[in-house]
Amino acid sequence: MSDDNLFELKAVAKRFKKGKETISIFDDLNMTIKRGDFLAIMGPSGSGKTTLLNLLGGVDQPTGGEIVFDGARIDGLSEGDLAKWRANNIGFIFQFYNLMPMLNAAKNVELPLLLTSLSSKQRQQRVDTALQLVGLADRAKHMPSEMSGGQLQRVAIARAVVSDPKLLLCDEPTGDLDRQTADEILEMLQLLNREFGKTIIMVTHDPAAARHATHTLHLDKGQFVGKDEPELQEKSA
Amino acid sequence: MKDLYLVYKNLTRKKLRLFLTSFAIFIAFLIFGAVTALQGALNSGVEMSADNRLVVFNKINFTQSLPYAYVNKVSGIEGVNQVTFANWFGGYYQEPANQVVTMAVDPDSYFEVYSELVVAPEQKANWLQNQAGVMVGERLAKVNNWQIGDRIPVSSNIFSNKNGGQTWDLVVEGIFTASDPQVDTGYMVFHYKYFMETQSWGGDYVGWIVLTTDDPALNEQVANAIDESFANSQAETDTSTEKAFNKAFIEQIGNIGLIIFGVVFMAFFTILVLVGNTMVLAIRERTGEIAVLKTLGFSSPRIFRMILTESCLLAFIGGLLGLGAAYLVVGALSQMMARFLPNLVLGPDIVLQALGYMLLLGLITGIAPAYQALRLNIITAFARG
Ligand SMILES: Nc1ncnc2c1ncn2[C@@H]1O[C@H](COP(=O)(O)OP(=O)(O)O)[C@@H](O)[C@H]1O
Ligand SMILES: [Mg+2]
């Protein structure tokens, strides 16, 4: 495997048991994600986009196959090790922001840093920097209930990048936003990808959102279909 | 703990809920503190009784008297060390509401037998010389603000003075203290002989006899010997250890221990259900947030600890306030009731016990939701939300 590869999925399978039935979402999924990619994953509802993101983010385990991140397998890690791995490597951005309602913007952004050994002062500095990056330095003390959707998502982005992870995982990050705000968020993600070298994987319904990415993959019935980009790293047989 | 801020914010996010739950806990610990202090006050007589001290009462009941001659007979019984005796006087100071516990005692032996009472030798010498002298317990002296040399008229509802009236003019000759603060000093003693000579009924009797044995192991044998020697006489006796007597006396008021246990148990059971339920609901509301924290990399055991910390914090907030209030209430009550309940104190043992219960309450009310959060699966939590 090349050093350029951040993620490699080999013959990944994911099945759920529903009563006596077994639902298979992925049977034999193969893909490679390179460092520095901004990958958009599109596909109809129920095609397994969120499930794939959960597998990549280490919040879910595959039923079969291998998931290799940065040269090491993450499938089969214990729950505790996965939690540590997530804290060290992944920034999460959700459709509905998922901020803690009782914490102000700065305290929300600080959350991932509580998992590090940084001192309170160092954490404060990082939080300030992250809020500056998303243009919300003046809103640090605001509560989530006092902010607009676009602002909330920017706080969420600050939270996702504050611990400087390699990879950002975004599930419909603009799904709850109007066009103009969505574009602002997408431009911010683009900036993080281009200027800060963050690898980004974004699930979206929105073709306009996908256009901000460097690559787009279409997921349907557990397989990638069609190739938007010639250099697409899809190895599905 | 870096998560303490998070725990604090979670605890205080719903002010009304926080107020109601901590108020319930507050009440429970107020009851606990006050009632346990009360129990301690009632039991202190039992706890403080000397192991080798016996009391001899009339078998009919303890308000009946015994012939004076019994004192000498008891002294002669094998295994008896020191003997003293007393008569009940009762009495009040200035007005009937102001009761002062007063006994007429044998001045030569009383403080020998009650060796836990401390008397300055010169005060005792003065008292022995003054027929109308009285030795006042420290607590009683404090309550009435009496000093040595004060002349205090003490009146009785029961006895009449030969010189007319029902009042005895006594002089404070000394103030006795105790080696242990739990020992009762809320009473006073004056000369038996003087009392018998000045009261209109007179007579040759004592209220009860108190003695020490050579060894606590002899208690039962000595008690039996005393009661046997007065069997079939004009006044049969009932001899028991001071401990047993005090205990029996308290039990006449009702089975205090059981009542107290009942009250405290009800209070704790109620808040256990109430606070436990509230915690379960509070954590269930936060399912989505817990899933987010887990996604960010907070480990399940860490979230488990956070929730237990929250429930313990709640228990300690309500509990410490309640205990503080109990302390004030007990303090005020002990001022007002110094005469009846001299040992009403909320001491360090009660505080320690209460702290233990607060911790227990916090753990019990937090364990179920904490376990739920521990087991919470991120994916199903998000699917539900
Ligand atoms: N825990 C689960 N148990 C059973 N079925 C599931 C579970 N999670 C997802 N699914 C099913 O898997 C399919 C893919 O879901 P998902 O990844 O959420 O799709 P998408 O995000 O593309 O809409 C759906 O049909 C969904 O109902
Ligand atoms: Mg989805």
mmCIF file with all atom_site columns, all heavy atoms in Angstrom, chain A residues 60 79 83 86 92 101-103 107 114 116 123, chain B residues 2 6 10 13 289 294-295 297 300 302 379:
data_model
loop_
_atom_site.group_PDB
_atom_site.id
_atom_site.type_symbol
_atom_site.label_atom_id
_atom_site.label_alt_id
_atom_site.label_comp_id
_atom_site.label_asym_id
_atom_site.label_entity_id
_atom_site.label_seq_id
_atom_site.pdbx_PDB_ins_code
_atom_site.Cartn_x
_atom_site.Cartn_y
_atom_site.Cartn_z
_atom_site.occupancy
_atom_site.B_iso_or_equiv
_atom_site.pdbx_formal_charge
_atom_site.auth_seq_id
_atom_site.auth_comp_id
_atom_site.auth_asym_id
_atom_site.auth_atom_id
_atom_site.pdbx_PDB_model_num
ATOM 1   N N   . ASP A 1 60  ? -18.525 2.110  14.189 1.00 0.00 ? 60  ASP A N   1
ATOM 2   C CA  . ASP A 1 60  ? -19.187 0.852  13.868 1.00 0.00 ? 60  ASP A CA  1
ATOM 3   C C   . ASP A 1 60  ? -18.120 -0.115 13.370 1.00 0.00 ? 60  ASP A C   1
ATOM 4   O O   . ASP A 1 60  ? -17.063 0.302  12.899 1.00 0.00 ? 60  ASP A O   1
ATOM 5   C CB  . ASP A 1 60  ? -20.256 1.085  12.786 1.00 0.00 ? 60  ASP A CB  1
ATOM 6   C CG  . ASP A 1 60  ? -21.323 0.007  12.800 1.00 0.00 ? 60  ASP A CG  1
ATOM 7   O OD1 . ASP A 1 60  ? -21.184 -0.956 13.581 1.00 0.00 ? 60  ASP A OD1 1
ATOM 8   O OD2 . ASP A 1 60  ? -22.297 0.132  12.033 1.00 0.00 ? 60  ASP A OD2 1
ATOM 9   N N   . GLU A 1 79  ? -13.620 -1.431 21.912 1.00 0.00 ? 79  GLU A N   1
ATOM 10  C CA  . GLU A 1 79  ? -14.400 -0.197 21.980 1.00 0.00 ? 79  GLU A CA  1
ATOM 11  C C   . GLU A 1 79  ? -13.550 0.934  22.563 1.00 0.00 ? 79  GLU A C   1
ATOM 12  O O   . GLU A 1 79  ? -13.568 2.060  22.058 1.00 0.00 ? 79  GLU A O   1
ATOM 13  C CB  . GLU A 1 79  ? -15.637 -0.422 22.855 1.00 0.00 ? 79  GLU A CB  1
ATOM 14  C CG  . GLU A 1 79  ? -16.672 0.693  22.705 1.00 0.00 ? 79  GLU A CG  1
ATOM 15  C CD  . GLU A 1 79  ? -17.595 0.806  23.905 1.00 0.00 ? 79  GLU A CD  1
ATOM 16  O OE1 . GLU A 1 79  ? -18.144 -0.218 24.350 1.00 0.00 ? 79  GLU A OE1 1
ATOM 17  O OE2 . GLU A 1 79  ? -17.763 1.940  24.396 1.00 0.00 ? 79  GLU A OE2 1
ATOM 18  N N   . ALA A 1 83  ? -12.308 4.383  20.694 1.00 0.00 ? 83  ALA A N   1
ATOM 19  C CA  . ALA A 1 83  ? -12.614 5.717  21.224 1.00 0.00 ? 83  ALA A CA  1
ATOM 20  C C   . ALA A 1 83  ? -11.359 6.579  21.214 1.00 0.00 ? 83  ALA A C   1
ATOM 21  O O   . ALA A 1 83  ? -11.380 7.741  20.798 1.00 0.00 ? 83  ALA A O   1
ATOM 22  C CB  . ALA A 1 83  ? -13.195 5.601  22.635 1.00 0.00 ? 83  ALA A CB  1
ATOM 23  N N   . ARG A 1 86  ? -10.480 7.464  17.610 1.00 0.00 ? 86  ARG A N   1
ATOM 24  C CA  . ARG A 1 86  ? -11.333 8.541  17.106 1.00 0.00 ? 86  ARG A CA  1
ATOM 25  C C   . ARG A 1 86  ? -10.875 9.891  17.631 1.00 0.00 ? 86  ARG A C   1
ATOM 26  O O   . ARG A 1 86  ? -10.775 10.866 16.885 1.00 0.00 ? 86  ARG A O   1
ATOM 27  C CB  . ARG A 1 86  ? -12.804 8.319  17.530 1.00 0.00 ? 86  ARG A CB  1
ATOM 28  C CG  . ARG A 1 86  ? -13.503 7.184  16.833 1.00 0.00 ? 86  ARG A CG  1
ATOM 29  C CD  . ARG A 1 86  ? -15.020 7.293  17.019 1.00 0.00 ? 86  ARG A CD  1
ATOM 30  N NE  . ARG A 1 86  ? -15.460 7.207  18.410 1.00 0.00 ? 86  ARG A NE  1
ATOM 31  C CZ  . ARG A 1 86  ? -15.727 6.068  19.039 1.00 0.00 ? 86  ARG A CZ  1
ATOM 32  N NH1 . ARG A 1 86  ? -15.601 4.909  18.407 1.00 0.00 ? 86  ARG A NH1 1
ATOM 33  N NH2 . ARG A 1 86  ? -16.138 6.077  20.284 1.00 0.00 ? 86  ARG A NH2 1
ATOM 34  N N   . PHE A 1 92  ? -15.485 15.031 13.694 1.00 0.00 ? 92  PHE A N   1
ATOM 35  C CA  . PHE A 1 92  ? -16.830 14.700 13.210 1.00 0.00 ? 92  PHE A CA  1
ATOM 36  C C   . PHE A 1 92  ? -17.659 15.968 13.019 1.00 0.00 ? 92  PHE A C   1
ATOM 37  O O   . PHE A 1 92  ? -17.677 16.845 13.888 1.00 0.00 ? 92  PHE A O   1
ATOM 38  C CB  . PHE A 1 92  ? -17.558 13.794 14.207 1.00 0.00 ? 92  PHE A CB  1
ATOM 39  C CG  . PHE A 1 92  ? -17.019 12.392 14.263 1.00 0.00 ? 92  PHE A CG  1
ATOM 40  C CD1 . PHE A 1 92  ? -16.010 12.063 15.163 1.00 0.00 ? 92  PHE A CD1 1
ATOM 41  C CD2 . PHE A 1 92  ? -17.520 11.393 13.420 1.00 0.00 ? 92  PHE A CD2 1
ATOM 42  C CE1 . PHE A 1 92  ? -15.507 10.772 15.219 1.00 0.00 ? 92  PHE A CE1 1
ATOM 43  C CE2 . PHE A 1 92  ? -17.025 10.104 13.477 1.00 0.00 ? 92  PHE A CE2 1
ATOM 44  C CZ  . PHE A 1 92  ? -16.014 9.785  14.374 1.00 0.00 ? 92  PHE A CZ  1
ATOM 45  N N   . PRO A 1 101 ? -26.090 21.647 24.477 1.00 0.00 ? 101 PRO A N   1
ATOM 46  C CA  . PRO A 1 101 ? -26.890 22.865 24.660 1.00 0.00 ? 101 PRO A CA  1
ATOM 47  C C   . PRO A 1 101 ? -26.518 23.659 25.913 1.00 0.00 ? 101 PRO A C   1
ATOM 48  O O   . PRO A 1 101 ? -26.779 24.855 25.977 1.00 0.00 ? 101 PRO A O   1
ATOM 49  C CB  . PRO A 1 101 ? -28.325 22.331 24.764 1.00 0.00 ? 101 PRO A CB  1
ATOM 50  C CG  . PRO A 1 101 ? -28.180 20.901 25.145 1.00 0.00 ? 101 PRO A CG  1
ATOM 51  C CD  . PRO A 1 101 ? -26.891 20.428 24.553 1.00 0.00 ? 101 PRO A CD  1
ATOM 52  N N   . MET A 1 102 ? -25.911 22.987 26.897 1.00 0.00 ? 102 MET A N   1
ATOM 53  C CA  . MET A 1 102 ? -25.632 23.710 28.151 1.00 0.00 ? 102 MET A CA  1
ATOM 54  C C   . MET A 1 102 ? -24.243 24.325 28.156 1.00 0.00 ? 102 MET A C   1
ATOM 55  O O   . MET A 1 102 ? -23.860 24.953 29.154 1.00 0.00 ? 102 MET A O   1
ATOM 56  C CB  . MET A 1 102 ? -25.834 22.789 29.369 1.00 0.00 ? 102 MET A CB  1
ATOM 57  C CG  . MET A 1 102 ? -24.775 21.737 29.565 1.00 0.00 ? 102 MET A CG  1
ATOM 58  S SD  . MET A 1 102 ? -24.776 20.471 28.272 1.00 0.00 ? 102 MET A SD  1
ATOM 59  C CE  . MET A 1 102 ? -23.475 19.398 28.849 1.00 0.00 ? 102 MET A CE  1
ATOM 60  N N   . LEU A 1 103 ? -23.495 24.138 27.068 1.00 0.00 ? 103 LEU A N   1
ATOM 61  C CA  . LEU A 1 103 ? -22.150 24.708 27.005 1.00 0.00 ? 103 LEU A CA  1
ATOM 62  C C   . LEU A 1 103 ? -22.112 25.829 25.976 1.00 0.00 ? 103 LEU A C   1
ATOM 63  O O   . LEU A 1 103 ? -22.750 25.724 24.921 1.00 0.00 ? 103 LEU A O   1
ATOM 64  C CB  . LEU A 1 103 ? -21.135 23.630 26.606 1.00 0.00 ? 103 LEU A CB  1
ATOM 65  C CG  . LEU A 1 103 ? -20.990 22.421 27.526 1.00 0.00 ? 103 LEU A CG  1
ATOM 66  C CD1 . LEU A 1 103 ? -19.934 21.471 26.971 1.00 0.00 ? 103 LEU A CD1 1
ATOM 67  C CD2 . LEU A 1 103 ? -20.636 22.843 28.935 1.00 0.00 ? 103 LEU A CD2 1
ATOM 68  N N   . LYS A 1 107 ? -16.759 26.353 25.086 1.00 0.00 ? 107 LYS A N   1
ATOM 69  C CA  . LYS A 1 107 ? -16.726 25.100 25.856 1.00 0.00 ? 107 LYS A CA  1
ATOM 70  C C   . LYS A 1 107 ? -17.069 23.909 24.960 1.00 0.00 ? 107 LYS A C   1
ATOM 71  O O   . LYS A 1 107 ? -16.560 22.811 25.166 1.00 0.00 ? 107 LYS A O   1
ATOM 72  C CB  . LYS A 1 107 ? -17.706 25.182 27.032 1.00 0.00 ? 107 LYS A CB  1
ATOM 73  C CG  . LYS A 1 107 ? -17.227 26.093 28.136 1.00 0.00 ? 107 LYS A CG  1
ATOM 74  C CD  . LYS A 1 107 ? -16.010 25.524 28.864 1.00 0.00 ? 107 LYS A CD  1
ATOM 75  C CE  . LYS A 1 107 ? -15.511 26.472 29.942 1.00 0.00 ? 107 LYS A CE  1
ATOM 76  N NZ  . LYS A 1 107 ? -14.238 25.985 30.523 1.00 0.00 ? 107 LYS A NZ  1
ATOM 77  N N   . LEU A 1 114 ? -10.478 17.901 25.993 1.00 0.00 ? 114 LEU A N   1
ATOM 78  C CA  . LEU A 1 114 ? -10.512 17.286 27.321 1.00 0.00 ? 114 LEU A CA  1
ATOM 79  C C   . LEU A 1 114 ? -9.938  15.877 27.263 1.00 0.00 ? 114 LEU A C   1
ATOM 80  O O   . LEU A 1 114 ? -9.576  15.291 28.281 1.00 0.00 ? 114 LEU A O   1
ATOM 81  C CB  . LEU A 1 114 ? -11.951 17.232 27.851 1.00 0.00 ? 114 LEU A CB  1
ATOM 82  C CG  . LEU A 1 114 ? -12.637 18.574 28.074 1.00 0.00 ? 114 LEU A CG  1
ATOM 83  C CD1 . LEU A 1 114 ? -14.060 18.370 28.569 1.00 0.00 ? 114 LEU A CD1 1
ATOM 84  C CD2 . LEU A 1 114 ? -11.857 19.422 29.068 1.00 0.00 ? 114 LEU A CD2 1
ATOM 85  N N   . THR A 1 116 ? -7.228  15.189 25.688 1.00 0.00 ? 116 THR A N   1
ATOM 86  C CA  . THR A 1 116 ? -5.778  15.292 25.515 1.00 0.00 ? 116 THR A CA  1
ATOM 87  C C   . THR A 1 116 ? -5.144  15.648 26.848 1.00 0.00 ? 116 THR A C   1
ATOM 88  O O   . THR A 1 116 ? -5.848  15.874 27.838 1.00 0.00 ? 116 THR A O   1
ATOM 89  C CB  . THR A 1 116 ? -5.426  16.403 24.511 1.00 0.00 ? 116 THR A CB  1
ATOM 90  O OG1 . THR A 1 116 ? -5.806  17.655 25.091 1.00 0.00 ? 116 THR A OG1 1
ATOM 91  C CG2 . THR A 1 116 ? -6.152  16.211 23.190 1.00 0.00 ? 116 THR A CG2 1
ATOM 92  N N   . ARG A 1 123 ? -5.374  24.621 26.114 1.00 0.00 ? 123 ARG A N   1
ATOM 93  C CA  . ARG A 1 123 ? -6.684  24.334 25.525 1.00 0.00 ? 123 ARG A CA  1
ATOM 94  C C   . ARG A 1 123 ? -7.357  25.638 25.108 1.00 0.00 ? 123 ARG A C   1
ATOM 95  O O   . ARG A 1 123 ? -7.910  25.750 24.021 1.00 0.00 ? 123 ARG A O   1
ATOM 96  C CB  . ARG A 1 123 ? -7.572  23.588 26.531 1.00 0.00 ? 123 ARG A CB  1
ATOM 97  C CG  . ARG A 1 123 ? -7.074  22.209 26.923 1.00 0.00 ? 123 ARG A CG  1
ATOM 98  C CD  . ARG A 1 123 ? -8.205  21.333 27.446 1.00 0.00 ? 123 ARG A CD  1
ATOM 99  N NE  . ARG A 1 123 ? -8.831  21.844 28.656 1.00 0.00 ? 123 ARG A NE  1
ATOM 100 C CZ  . ARG A 1 123 ? -8.442  21.536 29.896 1.00 0.00 ? 123 ARG A CZ  1
ATOM 101 N NH1 . ARG A 1 123 ? -7.421  20.712 30.079 1.00 0.00 ? 123 ARG A NH1 1
ATOM 102 N NH2 . ARG A 1 123 ? -9.070  22.027 30.934 1.00 0.00 ? 123 ARG A NH2 1
ATOM 103 N N   . LYS B 2 2   ? -11.000 17.032 34.700 1.00 0.00 ? 2   LYS B N   1
ATOM 104 C CA  . LYS B 2 2   ? -11.307 18.009 33.665 1.00 0.00 ? 2   LYS B CA  1
ATOM 105 C C   . LYS B 2 2   ? -12.801 18.044 33.324 1.00 0.00 ? 2   LYS B C   1
ATOM 106 O O   . LYS B 2 2   ? -13.324 19.039 32.849 1.00 0.00 ? 2   LYS B O   1
ATOM 107 C CB  . LYS B 2 2   ? -10.520 17.664 32.382 1.00 0.00 ? 2   LYS B CB  1
ATOM 108 C CG  . LYS B 2 2   ? -9.099  18.200 32.406 1.00 0.00 ? 2   LYS B CG  1
ATOM 109 C CD  . LYS B 2 2   ? -8.400  17.906 31.091 1.00 0.00 ? 2   LYS B CD  1
ATOM 110 C CE  . LYS B 2 2   ? -7.723  16.568 31.119 1.00 0.00 ? 2   LYS B CE  1
ATOM 111 N NZ  . LYS B 2 2   ? -6.911  16.285 29.924 1.00 0.00 ? 2   LYS B NZ  1
ATOM 112 N N   . LEU B 2 6   ? -18.184 20.022 32.948 1.00 0.00 ? 6   LEU B N   1
ATOM 113 C CA  . LEU B 2 6   ? -19.246 19.394 32.163 1.00 0.00 ? 6   LEU B CA  1
ATOM 114 C C   . LEU B 2 6   ? -20.317 18.813 33.094 1.00 0.00 ? 6   LEU B C   1
ATOM 115 O O   . LEU B 2 6   ? -21.514 18.986 32.883 1.00 0.00 ? 6   LEU B O   1
ATOM 116 C CB  . LEU B 2 6   ? -18.616 18.280 31.332 1.00 0.00 ? 6   LEU B CB  1
ATOM 117 C CG  . LEU B 2 6   ? -19.254 17.903 30.018 1.00 0.00 ? 6   LEU B CG  1
ATOM 118 C CD1 . LEU B 2 6   ? -19.294 19.081 29.084 1.00 0.00 ? 6   LEU B CD1 1
ATOM 119 C CD2 . LEU B 2 6   ? -18.447 16.760 29.385 1.00 0.00 ? 6   LEU B CD2 1
ATOM 120 N N   . ASN B 2 10  ? -24.186 20.006 33.433 1.00 0.00 ? 10  ASN B N   1
ATOM 121 C CA  . ASN B 2 10  ? -25.291 19.071 33.284 1.00 0.00 ? 10  ASN B CA  1
ATOM 122 C C   . ASN B 2 10  ? -26.218 19.117 34.487 1.00 0.00 ? 10  ASN B C   1
ATOM 123 O O   . ASN B 2 10  ? -27.435 19.099 34.361 1.00 0.00 ? 10  ASN B O   1
ATOM 124 C CB  . ASN B 2 10  ? -24.762 17.645 33.105 1.00 0.00 ? 10  ASN B CB  1
ATOM 125 C CG  . ASN B 2 10  ? -24.545 17.310 31.644 1.00 0.00 ? 10  ASN B CG  1
ATOM 126 O OD1 . ASN B 2 10  ? -25.289 17.773 30.777 1.00 0.00 ? 10  ASN B OD1 1
ATOM 127 N ND2 . ASN B 2 10  ? -23.527 16.526 31.367 1.00 0.00 ? 10  ASN B ND2 1
ATOM 128 N N   . ARG B 2 13  ? -28.349 22.379 34.485 1.00 0.00 ? 13  ARG B N   1
ATOM 129 C CA  . ARG B 2 13  ? -29.000 22.821 33.236 1.00 0.00 ? 13  ARG B CA  1
ATOM 130 C C   . ARG B 2 13  ? -30.487 23.056 33.418 1.00 0.00 ? 13  ARG B C   1
ATOM 131 O O   . ARG B 2 13  ? -31.081 23.867 32.737 1.00 0.00 ? 13  ARG B O   1
ATOM 132 C CB  . ARG B 2 13  ? -28.719 21.860 32.085 1.00 0.00 ? 13  ARG B CB  1
ATOM 133 C CG  . ARG B 2 13  ? -29.244 20.460 32.335 1.00 0.00 ? 13  ARG B CG  1
ATOM 134 C CD  . ARG B 2 13  ? -28.589 19.463 31.413 1.00 0.00 ? 13  ARG B CD  1
ATOM 135 N NE  . ARG B 2 13  ? -29.034 19.582 30.027 1.00 0.00 ? 13  ARG B NE  1
ATOM 136 C CZ  . ARG B 2 13  ? -28.450 18.967 29.011 1.00 0.00 ? 13  ARG B CZ  1
ATOM 137 N NH1 . ARG B 2 13  ? -27.382 18.222 29.211 1.00 0.00 ? 13  ARG B NH1 1
ATOM 138 N NH2 . ARG B 2 13  ? -28.913 19.095 27.802 1.00 0.00 ? 13  ARG B NH2 1
ATOM 139 N N   . GLU B 2 289 ? -26.810 13.377 23.349 1.00 0.00 ? 289 GLU B N   1
ATOM 140 C CA  . GLU B 2 289 ? -25.570 14.055 23.743 1.00 0.00 ? 289 GLU B CA  1
ATOM 141 C C   . GLU B 2 289 ? -24.515 13.055 24.183 1.00 0.00 ? 289 GLU B C   1
ATOM 142 O O   . GLU B 2 289 ? -23.320 13.232 23.905 1.00 0.00 ? 289 GLU B O   1
ATOM 143 C CB  . GLU B 2 289 ? -25.851 15.032 24.888 1.00 0.00 ? 289 GLU B CB  1
ATOM 144 C CG  . GLU B 2 289 ? -26.662 16.233 24.440 1.00 0.00 ? 289 GLU B CG  1
ATOM 145 C CD  . GLU B 2 289 ? -27.217 17.003 25.620 1.00 0.00 ? 289 GLU B CD  1
ATOM 146 O OE1 . GLU B 2 289 ? -26.555 17.029 26.672 1.00 0.00 ? 289 GLU B OE1 1
ATOM 147 O OE2 . GLU B 2 289 ? -28.317 17.561 25.491 1.00 0.00 ? 289 GLU B OE2 1
ATOM 148 N N   . LYS B 2 294 ? -19.488 10.138 23.056 1.00 0.00 ? 294 LYS B N   1
ATOM 149 C CA  . LYS B 2 294 ? -18.810 8.869  22.737 1.00 0.00 ? 294 LYS B CA  1
ATOM 150 C C   . LYS B 2 294 ? -18.178 8.936  21.354 1.00 0.00 ? 294 LYS B C   1
ATOM 151 O O   . LYS B 2 294 ? -17.047 8.482  21.156 1.00 0.00 ? 294 LYS B O   1
ATOM 152 C CB  . LYS B 2 294 ? -19.799 7.708  22.819 1.00 0.00 ? 294 LYS B CB  1
ATOM 153 C CG  . LYS B 2 294 ? -20.146 7.294  24.236 1.00 0.00 ? 294 LYS B CG  1
ATOM 154 C CD  . LYS B 2 294 ? -20.812 5.925  24.264 1.00 0.00 ? 294 LYS B CD  1
ATOM 155 C CE  . LYS B 2 294 ? -21.049 5.463  25.686 1.00 0.00 ? 294 LYS B CE  1
ATOM 156 N NZ  . LYS B 2 294 ? -21.538 4.074  25.753 1.00 0.00 ? 294 LYS B NZ  1
ATOM 157 N N   . THR B 2 295 ? -18.911 9.521  20.403 1.00 0.00 ? 295 THR B N   1
ATOM 158 C CA  . THR B 2 295 ? -18.362 9.641  19.049 1.00 0.00 ? 295 THR B CA  1
ATOM 159 C C   . THR B 2 295 ? -17.071 10.457 19.067 1.00 0.00 ? 295 THR B C   1
ATOM 160 O O   . THR B 2 295 ? -16.087 10.109 18.419 1.00 0.00 ? 295 THR B O   1
ATOM 161 C CB  . THR B 2 295 ? -19.391 10.321 18.124 1.00 0.00 ? 295 THR B CB  1
ATOM 162 O OG1 . THR B 2 295 ? -20.606 9.587  18.184 1.00 0.00 ? 295 THR B OG1 1
ATOM 163 C CG2 . THR B 2 295 ? -18.893 10.358 16.684 1.00 0.00 ? 295 THR B CG2 1
ATOM 164 N N   . GLY B 2 297 ? -14.949 10.556 21.226 1.00 0.00 ? 297 GLY B N   1
ATOM 165 C CA  . GLY B 2 297 ? -13.848 9.782  21.790 1.00 0.00 ? 297 GLY B CA  1
ATOM 166 C C   . GLY B 2 297 ? -13.870 9.680  23.306 1.00 0.00 ? 297 GLY B C   1
ATOM 167 O O   . GLY B 2 297 ? -12.941 9.147  23.899 1.00 0.00 ? 297 GLY B O   1
ATOM 168 N N   . SER B 2 300 ? -16.576 5.011  27.353 1.00 0.00 ? 300 SER B N   1
ATOM 169 C CA  . SER B 2 300 ? -17.777 4.673  28.118 1.00 0.00 ? 300 SER B CA  1
ATOM 170 C C   . SER B 2 300 ? -17.551 4.729  29.627 1.00 0.00 ? 300 SER B C   1
ATOM 171 O O   . SER B 2 300 ? -18.386 5.287  30.344 1.00 0.00 ? 300 SER B O   1
ATOM 172 C CB  . SER B 2 300 ? -18.283 3.294  27.703 1.00 0.00 ? 300 SER B CB  1
ATOM 173 O OG  . SER B 2 300 ? -18.690 3.335  26.359 1.00 0.00 ? 300 SER B OG  1
ATOM 174 N N   . ARG B 2 302 ? -15.580 6.596  31.221 1.00 0.00 ? 302 ARG B N   1
ATOM 175 C CA  . ARG B 2 302 ? -15.466 8.003  31.599 1.00 0.00 ? 302 ARG B CA  1
ATOM 176 C C   . ARG B 2 302 ? -16.840 8.640  31.712 1.00 0.00 ? 302 ARG B C   1
ATOM 177 O O   . ARG B 2 302 ? -17.111 9.423  32.651 1.00 0.00 ? 302 ARG B O   1
ATOM 178 C CB  . ARG B 2 302 ? -14.638 8.723  30.546 1.00 0.00 ? 302 ARG B CB  1
ATOM 179 C CG  . ARG B 2 302 ? -14.351 10.161 30.882 1.00 0.00 ? 302 ARG B CG  1
ATOM 180 C CD  . ARG B 2 302 ? -13.233 10.650 30.020 1.00 0.00 ? 302 ARG B CD  1
ATOM 181 N NE  . ARG B 2 302 ? -12.956 12.057 30.211 1.00 0.00 ? 302 ARG B NE  1
ATOM 182 C CZ  . ARG B 2 302 ? -11.839 12.629 29.796 1.00 0.00 ? 302 ARG B CZ  1
ATOM 183 N NH1 . ARG B 2 302 ? -10.929 11.912 29.164 1.00 0.00 ? 302 ARG B NH1 1
ATOM 184 N NH2 . ARG B 2 302 ? -11.640 13.908 29.999 1.00 0.00 ? 302 ARG B NH2 1
ATOM 185 N N   . ILE B 2 379 ? -24.587 4.009  17.495 1.00 0.00 ? 379 ILE B N   1
ATOM 186 C CA  . ILE B 2 379 ? -25.380 3.927  16.263 1.00 0.00 ? 379 ILE B CA  1
ATOM 187 C C   . ILE B 2 379 ? -26.868 3.845  16.551 1.00 0.00 ? 379 ILE B C   1
ATOM 188 O O   . ILE B 2 379 ? -27.668 4.585  15.978 1.00 0.00 ? 379 ILE B O   1
ATOM 189 C CB  . ILE B 2 379 ? -24.916 2.725  15.427 1.00 0.00 ? 379 ILE B CB  1
ATOM 190 C CG1 . ILE B 2 379 ? -23.466 2.979  15.004 1.00 0.00 ? 379 ILE B CG1 1
ATOM 191 C CG2 . ILE B 2 379 ? -25.798 2.539  14.202 1.00 0.00 ? 379 ILE B CG2 1
ATOM 192 C CD1 . ILE B 2 379 ? -22.763 1.784  14.516 1.00 0.00 ? 379 ILE B CD1 1
#
